[in-house]
Amino acid sequence: MESNPRKLLDEFIPEAMGKQFVIPVYQRKYTWTVKKQLTQLMKDLVGLIEDETMQKQHFLGTVVYLENVVNYKTERSIVDGQQRVVTMFLMAHAMKSIAENEFRAREIDETYLQNFSEPVDSRYRQRLFPSVADGTDYSIIAEERYDEINKDSHSNIVQNFLYIQAELKKLVEKYTFDQVLYALKRFSIVYIKLDDRDDAQQIFESINSNGERLTASDLIRNFIMMDKSNERQTILYNKYWRRLEDVFDNSKVMEDFFRYYLAAITGEYSAKHVLYQAFKDYWNEQKNRSDDDLLEKLVRYSGYFSLLYLESPSGKYADVLKDFQSMESMMPAPLVLELSEWYFFEHKITEEQYFDVIKVINDYQIRRYFNGDDTSRVSKAFPIYLKNVRKIAEKDGFENIVGCLC
């Protein structure tokens, strides 16, 4: 592990000429906002501009990265500090956009933003390759397609760039272009260059106890993606993880889904504080299965979850699903997820059996409700019921699946 202080714009980024900073797909989207971070950052910038000694620096924090060589190209994969790095690139793009002439704009481009030794259409032309989720918005800015910027966009990349551009323009008019640029060069960081992916994994997990708390689903995404090349990460994200994100509004809801998924597969609930470790144990035990197989299964189960709990029921058995959803109970989630696999994917049970079982579950929940029974104990028992039902069905066949649950 290597650690050193550096000026972010003046040293750390220019020293990486020919290399590319990569925000891996396992990272969250760019989350800094004008109100929470950038307003203060601009005040700090003014303080540096007005520093008569011209020696004062402003410390932004730490940047942790792992360096990889992919197809003979060097990538600096950011493990922590993406908010600082992306923001400084937006600062550089904004300065380029308001440069007093084409020569100053070219200087900023060559020093901070582009690898001019790479072809224009090369993926490595831009010095920053943001996360997949932010890539389109950043590309519009990086390629100077300013007329395509949607000013009403909710993207933090877009809104922060527009704010930075406007504020820097005011500062250049009040002071000078050189004064503003020199002040920007005095934002500093401490960088930590990791030796291997094990260090990167440990660092990322430790972030869970500092700053904005990471959910188990954040950590799970990182665990699945981190030991892959950025190209492979992007493929897995687009092919599988994005489909999970399409189902669940946020990582907290996805975290709950992972609990039900593991309970359906393993037959026991994992407490929330050990969910991440439980998922790692499960994943590592599947050595004979590929990442694609495991992720495809996850996506399938997310589809079952959506059908049962999130989508508006339709079709022949709409009333059965409406009754099920009206209970607003996650108690039977592990059982109905596995039941869905037996019907939709493995074809072990018929459509009629599938919905007859859901009717039985509906009746059971209604009776408990009118009896005033506590649901906490029976919730934990459902994965055990599932284990027993599976054992009986595999022994005697699935023809009497409804009877097994009555």
Side-chain angles (χ1 to χ4, degrees):
M1 183 182 292
E2 175 186 324
S3 175
N4 278 296
R6 279 290 187 276
K7 295 173 186 173
L8 183 52
L9 198 62
D10 197 34
E11 297 171 324
F12 185 64
I13 293 176
E15 287 169 357
M17 184 175 291
K19 301 178 180 180
Q20 186 177 67
F21 292 94
V22 173
I23 310 299
V25 297
Y26 61 75
Q27 293 278 19
R28 294 173 174 177
K29 290 182 68 173
Y30 177 65
T31 59
W32 274 17
T33 64
V34 171
K35 186 175 180 180
K36 289 186 177 180
Q37 286 88 14
L38 294 195
T39 301
Q40 182 58 50
L41 192 63
M42 283 300 171
K43 291 179 182 177
D44 297 331
L45 177 61
V46 171
L48 292 175
I49 295 172
E50 296 181 345
D51 170 39
E52 294 181 358
T53 69
M54 295 188 293
Q55 299 300 313
K56 182 180 175 182
Q57 295 185 32
H58 183 80
F59 180 63
L60 289 176
T62 305
V63 173
V64 183
Y65 72 95
L66 182 72
E67 199 158 278
N68 307 298
V69 177
V70 181
N71 296 326
Y72 306 102
K73 307 293 183 183
T74 303
E75 298 179 355
R76 287 186 169 183
S77 184
I78 305 297
V79 176
D80 186 36
Q82 71 142 316
Q83 309 297 329
R84 304 173 185 93
V85 172
V86 173
T87 300
M88 197 51 64
F89 271 97
L90 291 178
M91 291 275 197
H93 279 295
M95 288 299 286
K96 174 188 168 185
S97 73
I98 62 172
E100 49 205 350
N101 56 57
E102 62 180 288
F103 304 106
R104 298 309 301 272
R106 174 83 180 192
E107 178 187 18
I108 292 172
D109 235 358
E110 291 180 344
T111 308
Y112 310 116
L113 299 176
Q114 296 194 55
N115 291 317
F116 276 86
S117 60
E118 296 289 338
V120 174
D121 59 351
S122 168
R123 205 212 86 171
Y124 292 93
R125 175 74 173 207
Q126 296 295 332
R127 200 81 63 85
L128 173 68
F129 188 83
S131 66
V132 174
D134 295 314
T136 302
D137 294 322
Y138 183 79
S139 293
I140 290 173
I141 294 166
E143 295 167 12
E144 300 179 70
R145 293 183 280 133
Y146 304 131
D147 58 328
E148 295 180 29
I149 293 177
N150 177 9
K151 295 183 179 180
D152 297 321
S153 169
H154 295 295
S155 163
N156 290 328
I157 290 278
V158 169
Q159 292 305 319
N160 288 2
F161 173 74
L162 293 174
Y163 171 78
I164 290 169
Q165 185 186 51
E167 292 301 306
L168 290 180
K169 189 173 182 180
K170 292 176 189 175
L171 292 177
V172 167
E173 290 170 355
K174 182 176 180 180
Y175 302 98
T176 67
F177 189 90
D178 285 335
Q179 280 179 286
V180 175
L181 184 59
Y182 185 68
L184 284 169
K185 291 179 180 180
R186 282 146 56 207
F187 281 113
S188 64
I189 51 108
V190 167
Y191 77 77
I192 299 174
K193 180 182 177 182
L194 302 177
D195 299 323
D196 54 47
R197 292 188 178 277
D198 288 336
D199 286 343
Q201 178 74 18
Q202 187 177 24
I203 290 286
F204 190 87
E205 290 177 12
S206 72
I207 298 169
N208 201 34
S209 59
N210 299 287
E212 187 176 356
R213 184 172 177 81
L214 300 170
T215 65
S217 59
D218 294 323
L219 294 168
I220 288 169
R221 181 187 61 228
N222 166 68
F223 169 72
I224 293 171
M225 302 286 187
M226 182 171 279
D227 63 344
K228 316 292 189 300
S229 69
N230 189 66
E231 182 180 5
R232 178 63 175 155
Q233 287 178 21
T234 302
I235 290 171
L236 292 178
Y237 176 83
N238 285 328
K239 194 172 181 181
Y240 304 110
W241 199 270
R242 187 190 290 273
R243 289 158 67 189
L244 290 176
E245 292 179 339
D246 287 342
V247 172
F248 305 105
D249 319 72
N250 56 61
S251 59
K252 180 66 180 63
V253 179
M254 195 186 298
E255 179 181 77
D256 292 335
F257 162 71
F258 280 123
R259 283 192 76 224
Y260 308 133
Y261 174 79
L262 280 184
I265 301 300
T266 66
E268 58 185 47
Y269 267 119
S270 301
K272 288 190 177 183
H273 70 281
V274 296
L275 176 60
Y276 171 52
Q277 184 60 51
F279 185 90
K280 286 204 300 182
D281 292 342
Y282 154 73
W283 196 270
N284 288 331
E285 288 168 3
Q286 311 299 309
K287 294 179 181 178
N288 60 333
R289 302 188 63 184
S290 68
D291 290 336
D292 289 86
D293 284 345
L294 292 169
L295 283 166
E296 185 61 53
K297 187 171 184 176
L298 262 177
V299 171
R300 271 203 316 273
Y301 276 65
S302 73
Y304 306 150
F305 187 89
S306 180
L307 171 71
L308 291 161
Y309 288 101
L310 305 178
E311 298 174 20
S312 297
S314 61
K316 180 179 176 182
Y317 293 96
D319 289 342
V320 177
L321 288 177
K322 284 178 183 177
D323 289 342
F324 180 81
Q325 290 181 357
S326 69
M327 308 292 176
E328 298 183 348
S329 171
M330 305 309 297
M331 181 174 63
L335 175 58
V336 291
L337 285 176
E338 193 63 14
L339 183 74
S340 299
E341 180 80 343
W342 295 344
Y343 167 48
F344 289 105
F345 185 73
E346 296 178 355
H347 308 298
K348 290 178 176 177
I349 62 176
T350 65
E351 180 181 58
E352 185 178 359
Q353 286 175 307
Y354 178 69
F355 286 101
D356 280 348
V357 171
I358 294 179
K359 287 178 186 177
V360 170
I361 294 171
N362 289 346
D363 292 342
Y364 175 72
Q365 292 192 93
I366 290 171
R367 287 200 302 270
R368 289 192 64 86
Y369 175 78
F370 282 112
N371 285 338
D373 292 335
D374 176 42
T375 60
S376 58
R377 282 189 175 183
V378 76
S379 293
K380 295 177 182 178
F382 255 89
I384 300 172
Y385 296 161
L386 172 58
K387 262 185 176 180
N388 293 335
V389 169
R390 183 190 287 122
K391 189 181 296 183
I392 294 170
E394 288 176 350
K395 179 184 176 183
D396 301 332
F398 285 80
E399 293 81 4
N400 193 34
I401 191 69
V402 180
C404 287
L405 283 151
C406 291

